[in-house]
Amino acid sequence: MTAPVDDRPRLLMVMPYRQFVRKAQAEGFWVGAIWDPRLESPEYLDDVRALADVFVTADFGDEELLRRTIREVAEEHRASVIYHIGREETMAAAYEVAEELHIEVNPAEAVRLLTDKHAMRDLLAARGLSPVSFEAVATRREVPDAVRRIGRPAVVKPTALAGSRGVFLWQEEADLAVWTALVEQYGYDGPFLVEEYLRGPEYSVETLSRDGEHRIVGITEKLLGAPPLFVEVGHVHPAPLPPERRRAVEDLTTELLTACGYRFGPAHTEVIWTEAGPRVVESQARLGGDRIPRLIELATGLDIEQAIFAGLAGTPAGPAAATATAVVRFFAFPPGHVDEIRGLDTVAGLGYVDELNLRPSPGDTVAEVRDSKSRHGHVIVAGATAEQARDRVAEVLAAIELVIDGTPVRADGRAGVLGTPV
């Protein structure tokens, strides 16, 4: 008996999350997956393996091995497209192989410009877009002199780390010791960007590109924690922006993507509104993290993840206007031993809570939050208006309380009352 012919377009993905595999297959793709087993739990990767048509592992820390693996799997399984919208560190290598095999959806150079913070700053400066004073240095020991030249306060960014890891506002000479301890925790020695401190509210612009045309899906307001680390404590979608400011932010974003030569897929571009207008912080050739895709879906009805693969299959999604406001807030409790957790039953009874993820359990020891990966969980709610959504988040944060080393602390940061359940 002759086996059925599988004539699906063959999509080879590097680091595809399991929902990407499902949604690509729903659009008619055969999906191959390449993963580094150190980057997710064995249970998670077992799920990806069960979903994918082909599953291969490789050490992403060995760039030449990764390139060879992508090339060999693509050739063996006759891949028609190589695609990567996972973490930025390995994107450029994947797209260079795709370009070599003539099965790319983006020029490798476009992806490099979006994933390399220094290259993006150089491009913006050369085009006269979003002027920001900056200096690139190769090693940790060169940073203090660069800070003095840029002028304090200055933002120091490790250019090879993602997820806000190691981003630091250097405000005074004494910050040298605090900053040094921070980067030593990551075992990171360089390179770095030192930039002027941009003051103002921060937003992220979520876009979908196809054939070099950039569609604005929406703008998200970023809720930032205190300096010097600015770890994000939440997001609001859509951002409450006056029309003229919204247009300026959108125009700057599309100019950046066009300048980079970006052709297809999602981009997540961070912008600060300063006294001099919008300034690009950075951009990535992927979806926004921090559950932003879920906020978009709650606010507009658009499944932006599905829309990527629909566009790749030739059926791009139409416009989706916001009809609600969605908010995610992240939990950040003080470090210490968790004696007790209160309020979860109360929150479970709130019908408007879309997601609730509290990582600590009684008996755990929670660490200090120093980047987006170390936050203690999140809650997502939606409301008919921005005010209603914010009120609902406030109710959840007031209801959840952890007793840490004998001291009750509510999720909104206020002190609780020992012995009195919330």
Side-chain angles (χ1 to χ4, degrees), residues 127-147:
R127 298 296 181 95
L129 291 171
S130 182
V132 173
S133 298
F134 72 97
E135 186 171 331
V137 296
T139 64
R140 186 193 308 177
R141 64 178 175 273
E142 299 171 76
V143 168
D145 286 341
V147 168

Side-chain angles (χ1 to χ4, degrees), residues 121 132-137 142-158 166-173 175-176 179 182 192-199 227-230 272:
R121 278 279 173 243
V132 173
S133 298
F134 72 97
E135 186 171 331
V137 296
E142 299 171 76
V143 168
D145 286 341
V147 168
R148 294 186 193 99
R149 289 189 290 270
I150 293 295
R152 295 192 300 264
V155 176
V156 182
K157 297 179 179 180
V167 176
F168 184 84
L169 180 65
W170 196 314
Q171 301 177 81
E172 55 188 48
E173 196 72 31
D175 284 341
L176 173 60
W179 174 77
L182 176 68
F192 295 89
L193 271 185
V194 179
E195 301 179 349
E196 67 172 289
Y197 176 39
L198 300 172
R199 295 173 172 84
L229 301 182
F230 299 111
I272 290 177

Side-chain angles (χ1 to χ4, degrees), residues 5 25 70 123 130 199 219 223 264 274 326 333 344 368 378:
V5 175
Q25 289 172 334
I70 296 171
L123 174 70
S130 182
R199 295 173 172 84
I219 299 177
L223 309 177
F264 178 86
T274 73
F333 292 97
L344 293 181
E368 182 181 9
H378 71 270

